[in-house]
Amino acid sequence: MSPWLLGTLAVVGLVALVLVFLRARGRSEVSLGDGPGGPELRLAYRAWLEGDREPLAALFASHREGHWNDRAFYIDQLVECFAAAGRERDVDTLLAAWVDEEPDDALAQLLYGARCLCRGWPPPTYSEERPGAPELELLERAEEALTRASNLDPRDPTAKALLINTITARGGDERRAKALFEEAREVEPSHLAAHVAMLRHLGPRWHGDREAMFRFVRSAVSKVRVGSAVNGLLAYAHLESWRSYRDSGDSSAARAYLGDESNRIEVSAAFARFCAGECKDRDTTYVKNQWACWFYLTRDRMRLQALVPVLLHTPTKRPWVYL
């Protein structure tokens, strides 16, 4: 057996193990805050579950100016913990009590809104499924809480990013989504969560199309520095485009999309631009997983091998759960 084939089998085997691990971790209470969030988030979250809000509040207070991307990353990690802890009722009770007791606490409103958004997230627009009354009520509560969080803490772009997601889920207008995106960019021009939310809103799985999505993504990438995690939007966009073909039942178009050389070249160029700089934001974990997934699907073993460390140490549920 040739060394190239052995190497390919090893990388494919690693990805298979990652998928098994993520599916198992999603059902395990041991995973509370483990992984990319780090021990500080895990400890703060566990203290919060026991009724002590101070460590969590202190953690988020220390991740503001200059650390907005890390703040958004922590929110996303917590939302995953809320859903995977096996204690969803406890989590929802604790969040409801927090916003009831401290209605002017922006962090409480932010976490409550993020949790409601996660619970009410609907299927894509081309699906035959439609959100029911419980999901629509959750989305209304999410928008109310996130709007309050944004008003209480206008500097936090994370609330604005989550509001864009709420607008997407509820089928809201594009003008408001774009206005919120620009508000987030004024605070942090490279705010990844806001960029991803806008990409999703404009993409073919929701209210836009491939042309609108790629227009936005290419423009955004052209404005950020070398090394910025926003360069990863190109991998994300191409995965979204591929998934829209696959999930709508057009398997031949999905296969052709992965084989298109121009798509491969564009993602590889963005990856090179990211690797040429330095970015210490925690949210690079997600974009590295996006790139790894794309290189896995397109059988680009050389670039996938460069991402083996992140797959070994900090795999994320998305995008692997979509395979």
Side-chain angles (χ1 to χ4, degrees), residues 254-262 264 298:
R255 285 194 299 272
Y257 193 87
L258 294 175
D260 189 316
E261 190 65 21
S262 63
R264 296 182 179 215
T298 57

PDB file of all heavy atoms in Angstrom, residues 254-262 264 298:
ATOM      1  N   ALA A 254     -24.815  18.474  -5.951  1.00  0.00           N
ATOM      2  CA  ALA A 254     -23.962  18.533  -4.768  1.00  0.00           C
ATOM      3  C   ALA A 254     -22.590  17.944  -5.067  1.00  0.00           C
ATOM      4  O   ALA A 254     -21.552  18.509  -4.684  1.00  0.00           O
ATOM      5  CB  ALA A 254     -24.620  17.794  -3.606  1.00  0.00           C
ATOM      6  N   ARG A 255     -22.551  16.805  -5.753  1.00  0.00           N
ATOM      7  CA  ARG A 255     -21.266  16.190  -6.115  1.00  0.00           C
ATOM      8  C   ARG A 255     -20.483  17.076  -7.071  1.00  0.00           C
ATOM      9  O   ARG A 255     -19.268  17.252  -6.931  1.00  0.00           O
ATOM     10  CB  ARG A 255     -21.504  14.819  -6.744  1.00  0.00           C
ATOM     11  CG  ARG A 255     -21.887  13.732  -5.755  1.00  0.00           C
ATOM     12  CD  ARG A 255     -21.772  12.355  -6.399  1.00  0.00           C
ATOM     13  NE  ARG A 255     -22.663  12.225  -7.552  1.00  0.00           N
ATOM     14  CZ  ARG A 255     -23.934  11.810  -7.471  1.00  0.00           C
ATOM     15  NH1 ARG A 255     -24.445  11.489  -6.295  1.00  0.00           N
ATOM     16  NH2 ARG A 255     -24.668  11.704  -8.563  1.00  0.00           N
ATOM     17  N   ALA A 256     -21.187  17.649  -8.044  1.00  0.00           N
ATOM     18  CA  ALA A 256     -20.514  18.514  -9.013  1.00  0.00           C
ATOM     19  C   ALA A 256     -19.946  19.757  -8.340  1.00  0.00           C
ATOM     20  O   ALA A 256     -18.867  20.247  -8.710  1.00  0.00           O
ATOM     21  CB  ALA A 256     -21.498  18.916 -10.124  1.00  0.00           C
ATOM     22  N   TYR A 257     -20.653  20.238  -7.321  1.00  0.00           N
ATOM     23  CA  TYR A 257     -20.194  21.442  -6.612  1.00  0.00           C
ATOM     24  C   TYR A 257     -18.859  21.183  -5.922  1.00  0.00           C
ATOM     25  O   TYR A 257     -17.950  22.009  -5.979  1.00  0.00           O
ATOM     26  CB  TYR A 257     -21.233  21.883  -5.587  1.00  0.00           C
ATOM     27  CG  TYR A 257     -20.984  23.257  -5.044  1.00  0.00           C
ATOM     28  CD1 TYR A 257     -21.483  24.375  -5.710  1.00  0.00           C
ATOM     29  CD2 TYR A 257     -20.241  23.457  -3.884  1.00  0.00           C
ATOM     30  CE1 TYR A 257     -21.240  25.652  -5.238  1.00  0.00           C
ATOM     31  CE2 TYR A 257     -19.996  24.726  -3.408  1.00  0.00           C
ATOM     32  CZ  TYR A 257     -20.494  25.817  -4.085  1.00  0.00           C
ATOM     33  OH  TYR A 257     -20.235  27.089  -3.619  1.00  0.00           O
ATOM     34  N   LEU A 258     -18.730  20.032  -5.291  1.00  0.00           N
ATOM     35  CA  LEU A 258     -17.482  19.696  -4.614  1.00  0.00           C
ATOM     36  C   LEU A 258     -16.339  19.496  -5.611  1.00  0.00           C
ATOM     37  O   LEU A 258     -15.178  19.732  -5.279  1.00  0.00           O
ATOM     38  CB  LEU A 258     -17.654  18.433  -3.766  1.00  0.00           C
ATOM     39  CG  LEU A 258     -18.598  18.530  -2.572  1.00  0.00           C
ATOM     40  CD1 LEU A 258     -18.753  17.171  -1.913  1.00  0.00           C
ATOM     41  CD2 LEU A 258     -18.101  19.556  -1.572  1.00  0.00           C
ATOM     42  N   GLY A 259     -16.674  19.048  -6.816  1.00  0.00           N
ATOM     43  CA  GLY A 259     -15.642  18.803  -7.822  1.00  0.00           C
ATOM     44  C   GLY A 259     -15.259  20.026  -8.633  1.00  0.00           C
ATOM     45  O   GLY A 259     -14.286  19.975  -9.403  1.00  0.00           O
ATOM     46  N   ASP A 260     -15.988  21.139  -8.466  1.00  0.00           N
ATOM     47  CA  ASP A 260     -15.707  22.362  -9.234  1.00  0.00           C
ATOM     48  C   ASP A 260     -14.366  22.955  -8.805  1.00  0.00           C
ATOM     49  O   ASP A 260     -14.185  23.359  -7.656  1.00  0.00           O
ATOM     50  CB  ASP A 260     -16.831  23.369  -8.998  1.00  0.00           C
ATOM     51  CG  ASP A 260     -16.741  24.569  -9.927  1.00  0.00           C
ATOM     52  OD1 ASP A 260     -15.631  25.107 -10.113  1.00  0.00           O
ATOM     53  OD2 ASP A 260     -17.794  24.987 -10.454  1.00  0.00           O
ATOM     54  N   GLU A 261     -13.438  23.036  -9.742  1.00  0.00           N
ATOM     55  CA  GLU A 261     -12.082  23.497  -9.424  1.00  0.00           C
ATOM     56  C   GLU A 261     -12.049  24.946  -8.949  1.00  0.00           C
ATOM     57  O   GLU A 261     -11.252  25.307  -8.077  1.00  0.00           O
ATOM     58  CB  GLU A 261     -11.175  23.337 -10.656  1.00  0.00           C
ATOM     59  CG  GLU A 261      -9.693  23.557 -10.394  1.00  0.00           C
ATOM     60  CD  GLU A 261      -9.105  22.512  -9.452  1.00  0.00           C
ATOM     61  OE1 GLU A 261      -9.714  21.425  -9.319  1.00  0.00           O
ATOM     62  OE2 GLU A 261      -8.051  22.789  -8.847  1.00  0.00           O
ATOM     63  N   SER A 262     -12.937  25.787  -9.473  1.00  0.00           N
ATOM     64  CA  SER A 262     -12.935  27.193  -9.063  1.00  0.00           C
ATOM     65  C   SER A 262     -13.345  27.329  -7.589  1.00  0.00           C
ATOM     66  O   SER A 262     -12.813  28.194  -6.875  1.00  0.00           O
ATOM     67  CB  SER A 262     -13.880  28.014  -9.951  1.00  0.00           C
ATOM     68  OG  SER A 262     -15.224  27.575  -9.809  1.00  0.00           O
ATOM     69  N   ARG A 264     -12.765  25.062  -5.254  1.00  0.00           N
ATOM     70  CA  ARG A 264     -11.618  24.571  -4.490  1.00  0.00           C
ATOM     71  C   ARG A 264     -10.521  25.630  -4.415  1.00  0.00           C
ATOM     72  O   ARG A 264      -9.925  25.841  -3.350  1.00  0.00           O
ATOM     73  CB  ARG A 264     -11.062  23.298  -5.127  1.00  0.00           C
ATOM     74  CG  ARG A 264     -12.030  22.125  -5.100  1.00  0.00           C
ATOM     75  CD  ARG A 264     -11.382  20.899  -5.710  1.00  0.00           C
ATOM     76  NE  ARG A 264     -12.276  19.756  -5.684  1.00  0.00           N
ATOM     77  CZ  ARG A 264     -11.860  18.501  -5.492  1.00  0.00           C
ATOM     78  NH1 ARG A 264     -10.586  18.246  -5.307  1.00  0.00           N
ATOM     79  NH2 ARG A 264     -12.725  17.505  -5.493  1.00  0.00           N
ATOM     80  N   THR A 298     -13.714  17.495  -0.151  1.00  0.00           N
ATOM     81  CA  THR A 298     -13.076  17.631  -1.467  1.00  0.00           C
ATOM     82  C   THR A 298     -11.815  16.776  -1.582  1.00  0.00           C
ATOM     83  O   THR A 298     -11.097  16.868  -2.569  1.00  0.00           O
ATOM     84  CB  THR A 298     -12.730  19.103  -1.753  1.00  0.00           C
ATOM     85  OG1 THR A 298     -11.894  19.617  -0.710  1.00  0.00           O
ATOM     86  CG2 THR A 298     -13.988  19.946  -1.866  1.00  0.00           C
TER      87      THR A 298
END
